[in-house]
Amino acid sequence: MLTLGASATLSQTESNEVKFFCSQMFDNAPNENIPATIAWIPERQGHIRLIAWKSDFFYKWNRQERCQAVSEKFQNASQQGRLNYLTYGEVDNYQVICAVANQGEKCKRENMLFTIKPQDYPDRVLTSLIGVVQGNSGEPIYQSTGQQVYVSVNELFRQSKIVSQASGSK
């Protein structure tokens, strides 16, 4: 189980925008802090954990660099109105998770959030991401068009498990 580390500085803003950033989280299994992509959800006055970066599979990036880069991609997609759905696809012969504005859109370099390991199944990675964000409670929230899975980000944020809340909030 991951919990927010005491040294993690998680800032909130006065705006109503979701904010994505990389922060350290404590992982009990290896008993160490690891980087994690976190989202501040203003409507819920709390933070949710999206991805804990434990793998060093992608040798060009260390875990911290990957966390920073992916957190920025989530933030950019959100600011550009492309973070309505998460889906998967292939870009440059790599399996990827991407952000799209509408169902039916395909993954491409411009909307790619992160690459997954070649041996992983992209639909399982997406389902796993849903489970992690929801704290493994409740049914996954996804919509599909044919065989393609599209996860509603707004619903995901609405039902996600809060890992820390702003003081004074209910």
Side-chain angles (χ1 to χ4, degrees), residues 108-137:
K108 50 190 170 194
R109 186 175 301 223
E110 299 79 39
N111 63 11
M112 180 182 82
L113 295 172
F114 60 94
T115 305
I116 61 173
K117 297 176 195 173
Q119 68 269 23
D120 290 342
Y121 295 96
D123 56 337
R124 291 183 188 166
V125 171
L126 195 55
T127 301
S128 175
L129 177 61
I130 296 163
V132 167
V133 172
Q134 291 182 330
N136 292 320
S137 63

PDB file of all heavy atoms in Angstrom, residues 108-137:
ATOM      1  N   LYS A 108      -1.788   8.863 -30.765  1.00  0.00           N
ATOM      2  CA  LYS A 108      -0.740   9.364 -31.654  1.00  0.00           C
ATOM      3  C   LYS A 108       0.294  10.053 -30.780  1.00  0.00           C
ATOM      4  O   LYS A 108       0.085  10.233 -29.574  1.00  0.00           O
ATOM      5  CB  LYS A 108      -1.312  10.280 -32.726  1.00  0.00           C
ATOM      6  CG  LYS A 108      -2.215  11.366 -32.231  1.00  0.00           C
ATOM      7  CD  LYS A 108      -2.915  12.066 -33.367  1.00  0.00           C
ATOM      8  CE  LYS A 108      -3.991  12.970 -32.791  1.00  0.00           C
ATOM      9  NZ  LYS A 108      -4.907  13.427 -33.745  1.00  0.00           N
ATOM     10  N   ARG A 109       1.382  10.421 -31.354  1.00  0.00           N
ATOM     11  CA  ARG A 109       2.493  11.007 -30.591  1.00  0.00           C
ATOM     12  C   ARG A 109       2.033  12.194 -29.743  1.00  0.00           C
ATOM     13  O   ARG A 109       2.460  12.366 -28.613  1.00  0.00           O
ATOM     14  CB  ARG A 109       3.582  11.441 -31.553  1.00  0.00           C
ATOM     15  CG  ARG A 109       4.836  11.932 -30.874  1.00  0.00           C
ATOM     16  CD  ARG A 109       5.877  12.211 -31.887  1.00  0.00           C
ATOM     17  NE  ARG A 109       6.110  10.953 -32.597  1.00  0.00           N
ATOM     18  CZ  ARG A 109       7.274  10.474 -32.930  1.00  0.00           C
ATOM     19  NH1 ARG A 109       8.334  11.172 -32.671  1.00  0.00           N
ATOM     20  NH2 ARG A 109       7.405   9.327 -33.546  1.00  0.00           N
ATOM     21  N   GLU A 110       1.156  13.047 -30.277  1.00  0.00           N
ATOM     22  CA  GLU A 110       0.727  14.269 -29.591  1.00  0.00           C
ATOM     23  C   GLU A 110      -0.113  14.007 -28.351  1.00  0.00           C
ATOM     24  O   GLU A 110      -0.204  14.862 -27.476  1.00  0.00           O
ATOM     25  CB  GLU A 110      -0.074  15.174 -30.537  1.00  0.00           C
ATOM     26  CG  GLU A 110       0.695  15.648 -31.744  1.00  0.00           C
ATOM     27  CD  GLU A 110       0.795  14.587 -32.843  1.00  0.00           C
ATOM     28  OE1 GLU A 110      -0.187  13.860 -33.098  1.00  0.00           O
ATOM     29  OE2 GLU A 110       1.878  14.470 -33.439  1.00  0.00           O
ATOM     30  N   ASN A 111      -0.800  12.860 -28.272  1.00  0.00           N
ATOM     31  CA  ASN A 111      -1.664  12.623 -27.120  1.00  0.00           C
ATOM     32  C   ASN A 111      -1.175  11.479 -26.228  1.00  0.00           C
ATOM     33  O   ASN A 111      -1.846  11.092 -25.287  1.00  0.00           O
ATOM     34  CB  ASN A 111      -3.111  12.393 -27.554  1.00  0.00           C
ATOM     35  CG  ASN A 111      -3.301  11.163 -28.413  1.00  0.00           C
ATOM     36  OD1 ASN A 111      -2.411  10.325 -28.560  1.00  0.00           O
ATOM     37  ND2 ASN A 111      -4.473  11.047 -28.997  1.00  0.00           N
ATOM     38  N   MET A 112       0.014  10.972 -26.510  1.00  0.00           N
ATOM     39  CA  MET A 112       0.586   9.881 -25.735  1.00  0.00           C
ATOM     40  C   MET A 112       0.970  10.359 -24.338  1.00  0.00           C
ATOM     41  O   MET A 112       1.580  11.413 -24.183  1.00  0.00           O
ATOM     42  CB  MET A 112       1.817   9.347 -26.466  1.00  0.00           C
ATOM     43  CG  MET A 112       2.489   8.211 -25.747  1.00  0.00           C
ATOM     44  SD  MET A 112       3.957   7.660 -26.625  1.00  0.00           S
ATOM     45  CE  MET A 112       5.142   8.856 -26.048  1.00  0.00           C
ATOM     46  N   LEU A 113       0.596   9.593 -23.322  1.00  0.00           N
ATOM     47  CA  LEU A 113       0.963   9.906 -21.944  1.00  0.00           C
ATOM     48  C   LEU A 113       2.187   9.113 -21.503  1.00  0.00           C
ATOM     49  O   LEU A 113       3.106   9.666 -20.929  1.00  0.00           O
ATOM     50  CB  LEU A 113      -0.201   9.633 -20.993  1.00  0.00           C
ATOM     51  CG  LEU A 113      -1.433  10.516 -21.193  1.00  0.00           C
ATOM     52  CD1 LEU A 113      -2.581  10.024 -20.338  1.00  0.00           C
ATOM     53  CD2 LEU A 113      -1.109  11.970 -20.894  1.00  0.00           C
ATOM     54  N   PHE A 114       2.156   7.795 -21.757  1.00  0.00           N
ATOM     55  CA  PHE A 114       3.322   6.985 -21.405  1.00  0.00           C
ATOM     56  C   PHE A 114       3.319   5.665 -22.174  1.00  0.00           C
ATOM     57  O   PHE A 114       2.303   5.202 -22.643  1.00  0.00           O
ATOM     58  CB  PHE A 114       3.430   6.735 -19.894  1.00  0.00           C
ATOM     59  CG  PHE A 114       2.271   6.002 -19.266  1.00  0.00           C
ATOM     60  CD1 PHE A 114       2.301   4.626 -19.094  1.00  0.00           C
ATOM     61  CD2 PHE A 114       1.171   6.707 -18.808  1.00  0.00           C
ATOM     62  CE1 PHE A 114       1.248   3.960 -18.489  1.00  0.00           C
ATOM     63  CE2 PHE A 114       0.111   6.054 -18.210  1.00  0.00           C
ATOM     64  CZ  PHE A 114       0.152   4.679 -18.047  1.00  0.00           C
ATOM     65  N   THR A 115       4.524   5.109 -22.291  1.00  0.00           N
ATOM     66  CA  THR A 115       4.754   3.841 -22.975  1.00  0.00           C
ATOM     67  C   THR A 115       4.668   2.716 -21.950  1.00  0.00           C
ATOM     68  O   THR A 115       5.057   2.890 -20.798  1.00  0.00           O
ATOM     69  CB  THR A 115       6.171   3.844 -23.601  1.00  0.00           C
ATOM     70  OG1 THR A 115       6.292   4.992 -24.431  1.00  0.00           O
ATOM     71  CG2 THR A 115       6.417   2.600 -24.427  1.00  0.00           C
ATOM     72  N   ILE A 116       4.160   1.570 -22.391  1.00  0.00           N
ATOM     73  CA  ILE A 116       4.115   0.418 -21.489  1.00  0.00           C
ATOM     74  C   ILE A 116       5.094  -0.642 -21.978  1.00  0.00           C
ATOM     75  O   ILE A 116       5.540  -0.611 -23.127  1.00  0.00           O
ATOM     76  CB  ILE A 116       2.694  -0.146 -21.353  1.00  0.00           C
ATOM     77  CG1 ILE A 116       2.152  -0.640 -22.695  1.00  0.00           C
ATOM     78  CG2 ILE A 116       1.764   0.895 -20.756  1.00  0.00           C
ATOM     79  CD1 ILE A 116       0.837  -1.357 -22.592  1.00  0.00           C
ATOM     80  N   LYS A 117       5.434  -1.566 -21.113  1.00  0.00           N
ATOM     81  CA  LYS A 117       6.383  -2.625 -21.447  1.00  0.00           C
ATOM     82  C   LYS A 117       5.830  -3.479 -22.584  1.00  0.00           C
ATOM     83  O   LYS A 117       4.622  -3.738 -22.636  1.00  0.00           O
ATOM     84  CB  LYS A 117       6.641  -3.511 -20.235  1.00  0.00           C
ATOM     85  CG  LYS A 117       7.272  -2.799 -19.079  1.00  0.00           C
ATOM     86  CD  LYS A 117       7.393  -3.764 -17.913  1.00  0.00           C
ATOM     87  CE  LYS A 117       7.680  -3.044 -16.637  1.00  0.00           C
ATOM     88  NZ  LYS A 117       7.644  -3.945 -15.488  1.00  0.00           N
ATOM     89  N   PRO A 118       6.703  -3.954 -23.471  1.00  0.00           N
ATOM     90  CA  PRO A 118       6.250  -4.756 -24.615  1.00  0.00           C
ATOM     91  C   PRO A 118       5.474  -6.012 -24.218  1.00  0.00           C
ATOM     92  O   PRO A 118       4.558  -6.416 -24.915  1.00  0.00           O
ATOM     93  CB  PRO A 118       7.543  -5.139 -25.336  1.00  0.00           C
ATOM     94  CG  PRO A 118       8.572  -4.191 -24.841  1.00  0.00           C
ATOM     95  CD  PRO A 118       8.143  -3.731 -23.485  1.00  0.00           C
ATOM     96  N   GLN A 119       5.819  -6.608 -23.081  1.00  0.00           N
ATOM     97  CA  GLN A 119       5.149  -7.843 -22.674  1.00  0.00           C
ATOM     98  C   GLN A 119       3.807  -7.596 -21.992  1.00  0.00           C
ATOM     99  O   GLN A 119       3.050  -8.525 -21.747  1.00  0.00           O
ATOM    100  CB  GLN A 119       6.060  -8.685 -21.767  1.00  0.00           C
ATOM    101  CG  GLN A 119       6.332  -8.072 -20.406  1.00  0.00           C
ATOM    102  CD  GLN A 119       7.566  -7.194 -20.369  1.00  0.00           C
ATOM    103  OE1 GLN A 119       8.016  -6.669 -21.386  1.00  0.00           O
ATOM    104  NE2 GLN A 119       8.130  -7.000 -19.180  1.00  0.00           N
ATOM    105  N   ASP A 120       3.480  -6.351 -21.676  1.00  0.00           N
ATOM    106  CA  ASP A 120       2.220  -6.026 -21.008  1.00  0.00           C
ATOM    107  C   ASP A 120       1.095  -5.841 -22.026  1.00  0.00           C
ATOM    108  O   ASP A 120       1.318  -5.385 -23.138  1.00  0.00           O
ATOM    109  CB  ASP A 120       2.361  -4.758 -20.168  1.00  0.00           C
ATOM    110  CG  ASP A 120       3.230  -4.963 -18.942  1.00  0.00           C
ATOM    111  OD1 ASP A 120       3.449  -6.127 -18.547  1.00  0.00           O
ATOM    112  OD2 ASP A 120       3.697  -3.959 -18.381  1.00  0.00           O
ATOM    113  N   TYR A 121      -0.103  -6.169 -21.599  1.00  0.00           N
ATOM    114  CA  TYR A 121      -1.285  -5.963 -22.432  1.00  0.00           C
ATOM    115  C   TYR A 121      -1.855  -4.585 -22.114  1.00  0.00           C
ATOM    116  O   TYR A 121      -2.172  -4.304 -20.952  1.00  0.00           O
ATOM    117  CB  TYR A 121      -2.338  -7.034 -22.160  1.00  0.00           C
ATOM    118  CG  TYR A 121      -1.898  -8.412 -22.557  1.00  0.00           C
ATOM    119  CD1 TYR A 121      -1.344  -9.284 -21.625  1.00  0.00           C
ATOM    120  CD2 TYR A 121      -2.024  -8.834 -23.880  1.00  0.00           C
ATOM    121  CE1 TYR A 121      -0.936 -10.557 -22.004  1.00  0.00           C
ATOM    122  CE2 TYR A 121      -1.613 -10.103 -24.263  1.00  0.00           C
ATOM    123  CZ  TYR A 121      -1.073 -10.954 -23.321  1.00  0.00           C
ATOM    124  OH  TYR A 121      -0.671 -12.200 -23.694  1.00  0.00           O
ATOM    125  N   PRO A 122      -2.002  -3.719 -23.112  1.00  0.00           N
ATOM    126  CA  PRO A 122      -2.437  -2.338 -22.837  1.00  0.00           C
ATOM    127  C   PRO A 122      -3.803  -2.250 -22.169  1.00  0.00           C
ATOM    128  O   PRO A 122      -4.013  -1.388 -21.313  1.00  0.00           O
ATOM    129  CB  PRO A 122      -2.432  -1.668 -24.204  1.00  0.00           C
ATOM    130  CG  PRO A 122      -2.386  -2.764 -25.191  1.00  0.00           C
ATOM    131  CD  PRO A 122      -1.779  -3.949 -24.528  1.00  0.00           C
ATOM    132  N   ASP A 123      -4.742  -3.132 -22.527  1.00  0.00           N
ATOM    133  CA  ASP A 123      -6.055  -3.074 -21.888  1.00  0.00           C
ATOM    134  C   ASP A 123      -5.955  -3.425 -20.408  1.00  0.00           C
ATOM    135  O   ASP A 123      -6.634  -2.848 -19.570  1.00  0.00           O
ATOM    136  CB  ASP A 123      -7.067  -3.959 -22.604  1.00  0.00           C
ATOM    137  CG  ASP A 123      -6.627  -5.416 -22.722  1.00  0.00           C
ATOM    138  OD1 ASP A 123      -5.408  -5.703 -22.665  1.00  0.00           O
ATOM    139  OD2 ASP A 123      -7.509  -6.274 -22.877  1.00  0.00           O
ATOM    140  N   ARG A 124      -5.044  -4.332 -20.053  1.00  0.00           N
ATOM    141  CA  ARG A 124      -4.849  -4.698 -18.641  1.00  0.00           C
ATOM    142  C   ARG A 124      -4.163  -3.574 -17.877  1.00  0.00           C
ATOM    143  O   ARG A 124      -4.459  -3.345 -16.708  1.00  0.00           O
ATOM    144  CB  ARG A 124      -4.048  -5.987 -18.523  1.00  0.00           C
ATOM    145  CG  ARG A 124      -4.817  -7.187 -19.008  1.00  0.00           C
ATOM    146  CD  ARG A 124      -4.031  -8.455 -18.808  1.00  0.00           C
ATOM    147  NE  ARG A 124      -4.714  -9.568 -19.444  1.00  0.00           N
ATOM    148  CZ  ARG A 124      -4.155 -10.726 -19.674  1.00  0.00           C
ATOM    149  NH1 ARG A 124      -2.884 -10.942 -19.347  1.00  0.00           N
ATOM    150  NH2 ARG A 124      -4.838 -11.697 -20.254  1.00  0.00           N
ATOM    151  N   VAL A 125      -3.214  -2.893 -18.524  1.00  0.00           N
ATOM    152  CA  VAL A 125      -2.546  -1.767 -17.874  1.00  0.00           C
ATOM    153  C   VAL A 125      -3.568  -0.675 -17.574  1.00  0.00           C
ATOM    154  O   VAL A 125      -3.592  -0.110 -16.481  1.00  0.00           O
ATOM    155  CB  VAL A 125      -1.392  -1.216 -18.748  1.00  0.00           C
ATOM    156  CG1 VAL A 125      -0.842   0.094 -18.179  1.00  0.00           C
ATOM    157  CG2 VAL A 125      -0.291  -2.249 -18.878  1.00  0.00           C
ATOM    158  N   LEU A 126      -4.449  -0.400 -18.523  1.00  0.00           N
ATOM    159  CA  LEU A 126      -5.479   0.621 -18.330  1.00  0.00           C
ATOM    160  C   LEU A 126      -6.438   0.211 -17.211  1.00  0.00           C
ATOM    161  O   LEU A 126      -6.765   1.013 -16.336  1.00  0.00           O
ATOM    162  CB  LEU A 126      -6.234   0.852 -19.638  1.00  0.00           C
ATOM    163  CG  LEU A 126      -7.080   2.100 -19.731  1.00  0.00           C
ATOM    164  CD1 LEU A 126      -6.283   3.351 -19.439  1.00  0.00           C
ATOM    165  CD2 LEU A 126      -7.700   2.193 -21.121  1.00  0.00           C
ATOM    166  N   THR A 127      -6.860  -1.044 -17.194  1.00  0.00           N
ATOM    167  CA  THR A 127      -7.739  -1.539 -16.139  1.00  0.00           C
ATOM    168  C   THR A 127      -7.037  -1.490 -14.786  1.00  0.00           C
ATOM    169  O   THR A 127      -7.636  -1.125 -13.776  1.00  0.00           O
ATOM    170  CB  THR A 127      -8.205  -2.973 -16.464  1.00  0.00           C
ATOM    171  OG1 THR A 127      -8.884  -2.957 -17.717  1.00  0.00           O
ATOM    172  CG2 THR A 127      -9.142  -3.510 -15.402  1.00  0.00           C
ATOM    173  N   SER A 128      -5.752  -1.811 -14.759  1.00  0.00           N
ATOM    174  CA  SER A 128      -4.971  -1.747 -13.525  1.00  0.00           C
ATOM    175  C   SER A 128      -4.875  -0.311 -13.022  1.00  0.00           C
ATOM    176  O   SER A 128      -4.996  -0.055 -11.824  1.00  0.00           O
ATOM    177  CB  SER A 128      -3.583  -2.319 -13.771  1.00  0.00           C
ATOM    178  OG  SER A 128      -2.774  -2.174 -12.650  1.00  0.00           O
ATOM    179  N   LEU A 129      -4.663   0.629 -13.935  1.00  0.00           N
ATOM    180  CA  LEU A 129      -4.605   2.045 -13.568  1.00  0.00           C
ATOM    181  C   LEU A 129      -5.923   2.470 -12.919  1.00  0.00           C
ATOM    182  O   LEU A 129      -5.929   3.150 -11.898  1.00  0.00           O
ATOM    183  CB  LEU A 129      -4.309   2.907 -14.798  1.00  0.00           C
ATOM    184  CG  LEU A 129      -4.290   4.415 -14.602  1.00  0.00           C
ATOM    185  CD1 LEU A 129      -3.218   4.824 -13.609  1.00  0.00           C
ATOM    186  CD2 LEU A 129      -4.073   5.115 -15.926  1.00  0.00           C
ATOM    187  N   ILE A 130      -7.025   2.016 -13.477  1.00  0.00           N
ATOM    188  CA  ILE A 130      -8.343   2.331 -12.910  1.00  0.00           C
ATOM    189  C   ILE A 130      -8.440   1.789 -11.490  1.00  0.00           C
ATOM    190  O   ILE A 130      -8.865   2.475 -10.570  1.00  0.00           O
ATOM    191  CB  ILE A 130      -9.470   1.753 -13.785  1.00  0.00           C
ATOM    192  CG1 ILE A 130      -9.472   2.402 -15.158  1.00  0.00           C
ATOM    193  CG2 ILE A 130     -10.825   1.937 -13.106  1.00  0.00           C
ATOM    194  CD1 ILE A 130     -10.262   1.628 -16.184  1.00  0.00           C
ATOM    195  N   GLY A 131      -8.020   0.536 -11.296  1.00  0.00           N
ATOM    196  CA  GLY A 131      -8.078  -0.082  -9.980  1.00  0.00           C
ATOM    197  C   GLY A 131      -7.224   0.635  -8.961  1.00  0.00           C
ATOM    198  O   GLY A 131      -7.637   0.839  -7.818  1.00  0.00           O
ATOM    199  N   VAL A 132      -6.032   1.058  -9.351  1.00  0.00           N
ATOM    200  CA  VAL A 132      -5.137   1.774  -8.444  1.00  0.00           C
ATOM    201  C   VAL A 132      -5.760   3.103  -8.044  1.00  0.00           C
ATOM    202  O   VAL A 132      -5.810   3.455  -6.871  1.00  0.00           O
ATOM    203  CB  VAL A 132      -3.755   2.001  -9.100  1.00  0.00           C
ATOM    204  CG1 VAL A 132      -2.932   3.002  -8.299  1.00  0.00           C
ATOM    205  CG2 VAL A 132      -3.011   0.684  -9.224  1.00  0.00           C
ATOM    206  N   VAL A 133      -6.251   3.847  -9.018  1.00  0.00           N
ATOM    207  CA  VAL A 133      -6.824   5.159  -8.736  1.00  0.00           C
ATOM    208  C   VAL A 133      -8.048   5.037  -7.844  1.00  0.00           C
ATOM    209  O   VAL A 133      -8.277   5.843  -6.955  1.00  0.00           O
ATOM    210  CB  VAL A 133      -7.168   5.901 -10.048  1.00  0.00           C
ATOM    211  CG1 VAL A 133      -7.933   7.166  -9.777  1.00  0.00           C
ATOM    212  CG2 VAL A 133      -5.894   6.217 -10.808  1.00  0.00           C
ATOM    213  N   GLN A 134      -8.825   3.983  -8.061  1.00  0.00           N
ATOM    214  CA  GLN A 134     -10.043   3.806  -7.264  1.00  0.00           C
ATOM    215  C   GLN A 134      -9.766   3.134  -5.923  1.00  0.00           C
ATOM    216  O   GLN A 134     -10.685   2.911  -5.157  1.00  0.00           O
ATOM    217  CB  GLN A 134     -11.065   2.970  -8.035  1.00  0.00           C
ATOM    218  CG  GLN A 134     -11.624   3.688  -9.223  1.00  0.00           C
ATOM    219  CD  GLN A 134     -12.655   2.848  -9.930  1.00  0.00           C
ATOM    220  OE1 GLN A 134     -12.607   1.623  -9.925  1.00  0.00           O
ATOM    221  NE2 GLN A 134     -13.597   3.506 -10.548  1.00  0.00           N
ATOM    222  N   GLY A 135      -8.538   2.799  -5.649  1.00  0.00           N
ATOM    223  CA  GLY A 135      -8.227   2.121  -4.402  1.00  0.00           C
ATOM    224  C   GLY A 135      -8.769   0.705  -4.392  1.00  0.00           C
ATOM    225  O   GLY A 135      -9.088   0.155  -3.359  1.00  0.00           O
ATOM    226  N   ASN A 136      -8.898   0.122  -5.588  1.00  0.00           N
ATOM    227  CA  ASN A 136      -9.409  -1.231  -5.779  1.00  0.00           C
ATOM    228  C   ASN A 136     -10.813  -1.415  -5.235  1.00  0.00           C
ATOM    229  O   ASN A 136     -11.199  -2.505  -4.844  1.00  0.00           O
ATOM    230  CB  ASN A 136      -8.461  -2.276  -5.175  1.00  0.00           C
ATOM    231  CG  ASN A 136      -7.165  -2.338  -5.941  1.00  0.00           C
ATOM    232  OD1 ASN A 136      -7.143  -2.267  -7.157  1.00  0.00           O
ATOM    233  ND2 ASN A 136      -6.070  -2.456  -5.216  1.00  0.00           N
ATOM    234  N   SER A 137     -11.578  -0.319  -5.206  1.00  0.00           N
ATOM    235  CA  SER A 137     -12.963  -0.449  -4.775  1.00  0.00           C
ATOM    236  C   SER A 137     -13.876  -0.016  -5.903  1.00  0.00           C
ATOM    237  O   SER A 137     -13.563   0.893  -6.656  1.00  0.00           O
ATOM    238  CB  SER A 137     -13.221   0.423  -3.543  1.00  0.00           C
ATOM    239  OG  SER A 137     -13.021   1.779  -3.869  1.00  0.00           O
TER     240      SER A 137
END
